[in-house]
Amino acid sequence: MAEWVGWFVAAGAVLILELFTGTFYLLMIAIGIGAGGLVALAGGNGSWQAMTAAIVGVAATLLLRRSRFGRAGRRDAAQDPNVNLDIGQSVAVAHWVDGAARVMYRGALWDVELIPGSDTQAGHYTIRAVRGSRLIVG
């Protein structure tokens, strides 16, 4: 078996692993391995193949890290509806006392705090965040 075939088989295996992870980082490593395979196909020796695979893989990974796809969206868990399913739900507030209230929500009494700049009128409010046992509504 030719050397370049081994490189491309390895790149394919890494691509298959990428399908299970859901990130693009293994894809960047597979690109580097493919570049090593191209050098092997062009007739380069083993050290040039490995060096090319390493340089291209690291460069592609760094470029991915700097792109918008590589940055993790840092979001506060207290305001993330994917973490806390209460966010986006509605609560009925009967009356406010200095920007705070108590409401029955999911069978328990909760402290409710109003987002600054909102009206303190009785009515239905949407939960925007959860801090401990306090619902932040707006």
Side-chain angles (χ1 to χ4, degrees):
M1 179 170 76
E3 268 185 329
W4 62 270
V5 173
W7 282 99
F8 290 127
V9 167
V14 172
L15 279 175
I16 291 170
L17 287 175
E18 169 63 37
L19 294 174
F20 293 110
T21 64
T23 65
F24 289 115
Y25 290 105
L26 285 178
L27 177 63
M28 299 301 113
I29 300 302
I31 290 172
I33 294 171
L38 290 175
V39 171
L41 191 60
N45 65 13
S47 61
W48 280 105
Q49 296 168 21
M51 184 75 70
T52 302
I55 290 171
V56 171
V58 168
T61 303
L62 291 175
L63 286 173
L64 173 67
R65 183 73 177 140
R66 290 184 161 269
S67 75
R68 66 182 174 111
F69 299 110
R71 289 192 198 115
R74 304 217 187 270
R75 198 167 182 193
D76 184 20
Q79 298 175 346
D80 189 356
N82 295 322
V83 173
N84 193 330
L85 299 178
D86 294 325
I87 296 172
Q89 300 299 317
S90 179
V91 293
V93 178
H95 64 280
W96 292 96
V97 178
D98 297 327
R102 298 216 12 119
V103 298
M104 184 65 85
Y105 175 68
R106 290 194 301 140
L109 277 175
W110 289 72
D111 291 330
V112 177
E113 183 180 316
L114 194 58
I115 290 177
S118 298
D119 246 355
T120 56
Q121 296 180 359
H124 288 279
Y125 289 87
T126 303
I127 299 171
R128 303 289 182 203
V130 178
R131 288 191 203 122
S133 63
R134 183 174 299 258
L135 303 173
I136 312 300
V137 299

